[in-house]
């Protein structure tokens, strides 16, 4: 149901499902260390997802949205960015932040909403944000980040900053008015922005066939007067190549690009969702066989760069770091309750002062009070 | 020290979940992340893994029971350890027979805030401040004892006028059994049926129309066709003929193959003919759907009826096989009775109930003769279907069942 006609449309591919290079002209010439960094990035996303889903079911974190199956789209596109670039993510792109200096400890503090969380425990889990790595908070509303990204890109162009803005969105967001507004502005004003649409086939329970009557999402770019390109989202090298080109073009004044990464959400939309109620398990199985990590591993093997011990050590070190980060976060207290009153008004108005006084009275003498 | 695992809110704003299956027994050793129990929430079936390694000292709740978020589900400890706070779970787990609590608080009957603390929104506080009202003196009617703007205004009003006697609090009749009773939890399919029926009856004003149909001719036809169908491995019942006649009627009266979109205030005429067939199973009533009944031959319909009824009884119906019907037929077979008032399979607007075929004396050309007669009872949603339209539709169905050769015209 999720596929249909869409798979037959051409898309950029460097590696086939066996990890064999199908287009040598497109294969990037990247050093072994870079390829291993990409591999590590994907393994990290998967390890984090597996662990956090477990913690959510154990009631230790409140919510989680995994990116299983989309690791190549996330890591491949993230690697194409420079440190000065800004990222406006959707739900599943923390892997990009992790490549750019956001640590597993930062991530764990955010999910547990601790005192050491950069966001002071005020955001829903998985709604990461960190100014240091230019990763902007996602509002959870579908597609809102897209015009925000364009505005930032237009500002950068106006200021003469050599900054590229990356706007991540899903196939569902392309049905939102925000998407059209953003695309139009970006093209008209030649904003240095890259729209990276992860077409994972499902917007919670709505299949992509209900999002658009177009043959692809990439083709939508044509009407706005920008380049649209469809890429195999489970092929890390293809994603990297296509994104790299789009980012460089944007930086050199060539304007925006819409990239459609053709991929698949293997798991549930989030921990509040049960895809077995609306999705054919055979479809999921078909996509499991196109696993992006396995494909990239096969490529490394073919290149003679893979090493079982090295991968094992890498996985172990990711897991150890993750466990330490979780333990630390779990034993860190929540933010102080007074922080509830901070950061909205420069001078707190009377009703907030009154509430704060009530809160203090409550904490002094709990016996007089009752929870609603 | 024993660790009490309390049911977490694993959805968004979940309040309770039903225990589907336990994977661990009391006394079992358990590893971290090992599956403990499968739960069913409003949205999903989820497996809860253990947050730590140890021994299952105690388990709370039986399969089929509903447990509240925050109640103890499992106590995990060391071998030989005795759970200390074991009782908390028993209290928290809701026995299957108990009524579910309504989660929305009823205004005015929620707990009243103790002295010293007044719950009110900033807008209400501002109003009180402007009117010089001490919020602590206002009796609240909002949820959780919250003082509302109206409460403040009423308070000011009451200060001016002599106090009227307060209305007596609503009295809830306690349920006291007057004899031996058994309570069966409303679960699974039964619960779904209960909800659907209430929704249909509350939403759609039903009217029922009963007619008798002379099936003599069709009985004869079917007798002739039966062996031919059997040779092809198909059991030919009357249902395929009835479906055919119904589809002809629906095509003649599109308003009956419809639903009402209340929100948009539009009647939706369906251009497809998916016929639901009510099937009694051990778990209760199920309605598998024959898709595109108008495009199928009698044999094909018979085959599909047989396949779907079997799947329904074995509980193997896929989601798409119970969805999307535009009209439903319910047949009680030999239990057919004389007449019934079928409940519409909402949001459809009509349902056909079929009774048994039996020899009955009827008058033909001024003489009493014995014919094979069958009654049909049809209910319609009167918001969409007028009495005359429902009656005419029924007559078209009757005409085609009494004169099966007319079916040829529609082939």
């Amino acid at each position: 149901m999720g596929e249909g006609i869409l798979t037959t449309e051409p898309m950029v591919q460097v590696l086939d499902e066996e990890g064999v290079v199908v287009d040598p002209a497109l294969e990037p010439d990247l050093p072994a260390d870079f390829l291993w960094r990409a591999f590590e990035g994907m393994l990290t996303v998967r390890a984090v997802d597996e662990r956090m889903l477990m913690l959510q079911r154990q009631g230790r974190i409140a919510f989680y949205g995994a990116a299983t199956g989309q690791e190549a789209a996330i890591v491949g596109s993230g690697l194409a960015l420079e440190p000065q670039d800004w990222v406006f993510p959707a739900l599943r792109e923390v892997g990009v932040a992790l490549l750019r200096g956001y640590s597993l400890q930062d991530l764990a503090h955010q999910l547990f909403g601790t005192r050491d969380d950069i966001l002071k425990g005020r955001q829903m889990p998985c709604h990461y944000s960190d100014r240091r790595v230019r990763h902007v908070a996602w509002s959870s509303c579908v597609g809102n980040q897209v015009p925000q990204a364009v505005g930032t890109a237009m500002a950068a162009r106006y200021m003469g900053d050599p900054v590229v803005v990356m706007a991540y969105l899903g196939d569902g967001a392309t049905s939102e008015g925000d998407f059209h507004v953003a695309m139009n502005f970006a093209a008209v004003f030649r904003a240095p922005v890259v729209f990276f649409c992860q077409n994972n086939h499902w917007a919670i329970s709505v299949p992509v066939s209900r999002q658009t009557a177009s043959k692809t999402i990439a083709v939508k770019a044509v009407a706005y007067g920008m380049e649209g390109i469809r890429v195999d989202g489970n092929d890390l090298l293809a994603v990297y190549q296509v994104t790299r080109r789009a980012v460089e073009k944007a930086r050199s004044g060539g304007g925006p690009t819409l990239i459609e990464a053709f991929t698949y959400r293997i798991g549930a939309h989030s921990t509040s969702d049960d895809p077995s109620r609306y999705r054919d398990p055979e479809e999921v199985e078909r996509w499991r066989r196109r696993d992006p990590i396995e494909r990239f591993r096969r490529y490394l093997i073919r290149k003679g760069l893979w090493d079982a011990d090295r991968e094992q050590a890498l996985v172990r070190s990711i897991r150890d770091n993750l466990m330490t980060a979780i333990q630390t976060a779990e034993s860190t207290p929540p933010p102080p309750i007074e922080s509830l009153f901070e950061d909205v008004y420069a001078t707190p108005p009377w009703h907030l002062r009154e509430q704060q006084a009530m809160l203090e009275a409550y904490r002094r003498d709990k016996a007089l009070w009752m929870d609603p | 020290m024993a660790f009490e695992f309390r049911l977490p809110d694993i959805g968004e704003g979940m309040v309770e979940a039903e225990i589907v299956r336990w994977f661990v027994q009391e006394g079992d050793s358990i590893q971290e992340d090992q599956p403990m129990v499968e739960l069913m929430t409003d949205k999903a079936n989820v497996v809860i893994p253990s947050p730590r390694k140890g021994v299952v000292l105690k388990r709370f709740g039986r399969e089929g029971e509903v447990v509240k978020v925050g109640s103890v589900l499992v106590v995990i400890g060391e071998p030989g350890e005795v759970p200390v706070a074991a009782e908390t779970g028993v209290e928290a787990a809701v026995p299957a027979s108990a009524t579910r609590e309504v989660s929305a608080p009823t205004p005015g009957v929620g707990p009243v805030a103790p002295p010293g603390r007044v719950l009110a929104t900033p807008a209400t506080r501002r109003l009180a401040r402007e009117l010089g009202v001490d919020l602590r003196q206002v009796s609240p009617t909002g949820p959780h004892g919250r003082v509302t703007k109206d409460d403040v205004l009423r308070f000011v009003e009451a200060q001016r006028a002599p106090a009227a006697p307060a209305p007596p609090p609503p009295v809830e009749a306690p349920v006291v059994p007057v004899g031996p009773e058994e309570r069966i939890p409303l679960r699974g399919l039964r619960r779904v049926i209960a909800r659907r029926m209430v929704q249909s009856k509350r939403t759609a004003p039903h009217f029922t129309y009963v007619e008798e149909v002379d099936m003599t001719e069709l009985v004869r036809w079917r007798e002739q066709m039966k062996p031919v169908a059997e040779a092809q491995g198909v059991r030919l019942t009357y249902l395929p003929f009835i479906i055919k006649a119904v589809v002809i009627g629906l095509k003649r009266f599109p308003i009956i193959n419809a639903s009402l979109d209340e929100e948009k205030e539009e009647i939706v005429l369906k251009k497809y003919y998916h016929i639901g067939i009510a099937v009694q199973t051990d778990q209760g009533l199920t309605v598998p759907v024959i898709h595109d009944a108008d495009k199928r031959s009698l044999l094909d319909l018979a085959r599909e009826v047989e396949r779907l009824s079997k799947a329904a009884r074995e509980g193997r119906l896929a989601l798409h096989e119970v969805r999307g019907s535009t009209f439903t037929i319910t047949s009680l077979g030999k239990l057919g009775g004389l007449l019934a008032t079928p409940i519409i399979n909402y949001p459809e607007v009509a349902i056909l109930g079929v009774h048994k075929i039996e020899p009955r004396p009827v008058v033909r050309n001024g003489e009493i003769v014995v014919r094979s007669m069958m009654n049909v009872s049809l209910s319609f949603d009167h918001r969409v279907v007028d009495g005359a339209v429902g009656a005419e539709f029924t007559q078209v169905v009757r005409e085609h069942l009494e004169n099966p050769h007319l079916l040829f015209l529609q082939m």
Side-chain angles (χ1 to χ4, degrees), chain B residues 197 200 204 206 342-351 379-381:
Chain B
M197 293 303 161
S200 176
H206 285 54
I343 298 179
I344 293 166
N345 187 12
Y346 192 80
E348 292 160 28
V349 297
I351 184 165
S379 294
F380 299 92
D381 181 345

Side-chain angles (χ1 to χ4, degrees), chain A residues 201-253:
Chain A
H201 287 74
W202 290 92
I204 309 190
S205 58
V206 182
V208 67
S209 56
R210 302 294 272 177
Q211 301 295 352
T212 181
S214 301
K215 281 195 174 175
T216 71
I217 286 170
V219 73
K220 288 167 185 278
V222 176
Y224 297 101
M226 73 171 84
E227 186 188 359
I229 188 159
R230 189 176 223 224
V231 62
D232 183 339
N234 288 17
D235 175 352
L236 182 127
L237 293 182
V239 172
Y240 174 77
Q241 283 292 60
V242 162
T243 316
R244 186 81 207 162
R245 243 193 72 233
V247 167
E248 277 165 9
K249 184 181 83 179
R251 205 183 309 282
S252 58

Side-chain angles (χ1 to χ4, degrees), chain B residues 273-330:
Chain B
Y273 301 88
H274 297 348
I275 307 298
I277 304 293
V279 176
Q280 188 62 34
T281 72
D282 292 344
Q283 282 75 42
L285 188 68
T286 317
V287 186
V289 180
I290 298 181
H291 287 88
D292 300 311
D294 57 322
K295 300 193 180 100
R296 293 173 187 265
S297 69
L298 282 169
L299 268 187
D300 196 9
L301 286 172
R303 232 179 254 126
E304 189 69 354
V305 167
E306 203 171 352
R307 186 185 71 79
L308 289 171
S309 321
K310 187 157 172 276
R313 281 191 295 272
E314 290 169 3
R316 287 189 296 99
L317 287 170
L319 204 53
H320 71 267
E321 288 171 331
V322 291
R323 275 195 182 164
S325 57
T326 57
F327 182 96
T328 295
I329 299 174
T330 173

Side-chain angles (χ1 to χ4, degrees), chain B residues 360-371:
Chain B
R360 247 184 251 162
V362 291
V363 177
R364 293 283 184 266
N365 303 320
E367 296 199 5
I368 296 176
V369 291
V370 174
R371 306 280 291 177

Side-chain angles (χ1 to χ4, degrees), chain A residues 104-154:
Chain A
L104 288 175
Q105 191 60 68
D106 295 328
L107 175 143
H109 279 307
Q110 201 280 331
L111 291 174
F112 281 90
T114 72
R115 185 191 62 198
D116 295 335
D117 171 21
I118 297 160
L119 305 175
K120 302 191 182 184
R122 289 171 185 169
Q123 263 283 28
M124 204 171 153
C126 281
H127 293 52
Y128 315 92
S129 171
D130 187 350
R131 191 187 292 274
R132 296 170 306 181
V133 297
R134 303 198 159 189
H135 200 83
V136 182
W138 181 54
S139 76
S140 229
C141 304
V142 173
N144 282 184
Q145 72 280 11
V146 189
Q148 293 163 4
V150 172
T152 308
M154 286 168 67

Side-chain angles (χ1 to χ4, degrees), chain A residues 51 54 56-60 62-63 124 270-274 277 350-351 354-355 358 368-372, chain B residues 5 8 10-12 32-33 42-51 111-112 114 117-118 125 129 144 319:
Chain A
R51 192 66 218 141
M54 198 65 96
Q56 198 277 341
R57 290 304 189 228
Q58 294 168 353
R60 292 157 74 182
F63 171 90
M124 204 171 153
S270 75
T271 44
S272 305
D273 172 46
D274 179 0
R277 296 199 178 183
W350 66 267
H351 70 273
E354 199 176 291
Q355 284 175 22
M358 280 173 69
L368 268 181
W369 304 72
M370 193 172 73
D371 279 321
Chain B
F5 179 75
I10 44 174
E12 289 164 59
E32 185 176 352
D33 300 342
D42 288 342
K43 286 182 170 180
N45 277 33
V46 290
V47 171
I48 304 290
S50 171
V112 176
R117 180 195 203 187
V118 179
R125 286 173 192 281
R129 182 184 283 247
H144 307 301
L319 204 53

Side-chain angles (χ1 to χ4, degrees), chain A residues 36-102:
Chain A
W36 271 94
R37 206 178 134 223
F39 195 41
E40 180 181 0
M42 292 200 286
L43 292 172
T44 305
V45 172
R46 182 142 315 170
V48 169
D49 284 350
E50 281 172 3
R51 192 66 218 141
M52 294 308 171
L53 286 176
M54 198 65 96
L55 294 194
Q56 198 277 341
R57 290 304 189 228
Q58 294 168 353
R60 292 157 74 182
I61 60 172
F63 171 90
Y64 197 74
T68 308
Q70 299 174 230
E71 292 90 345
I74 293 161
V75 173
S77 59
L79 284 170
L81 297 171
E82 297 295 334
Q84 75 267 27
D85 297 337
W86 284 84
V87 174
F88 284 72
L91 175 60
R92 305 184 206 283
E93 288 85 13
V94 72
V96 174
L98 290 171
L99 293 170
R100 288 154 51 91
Y102 190 69

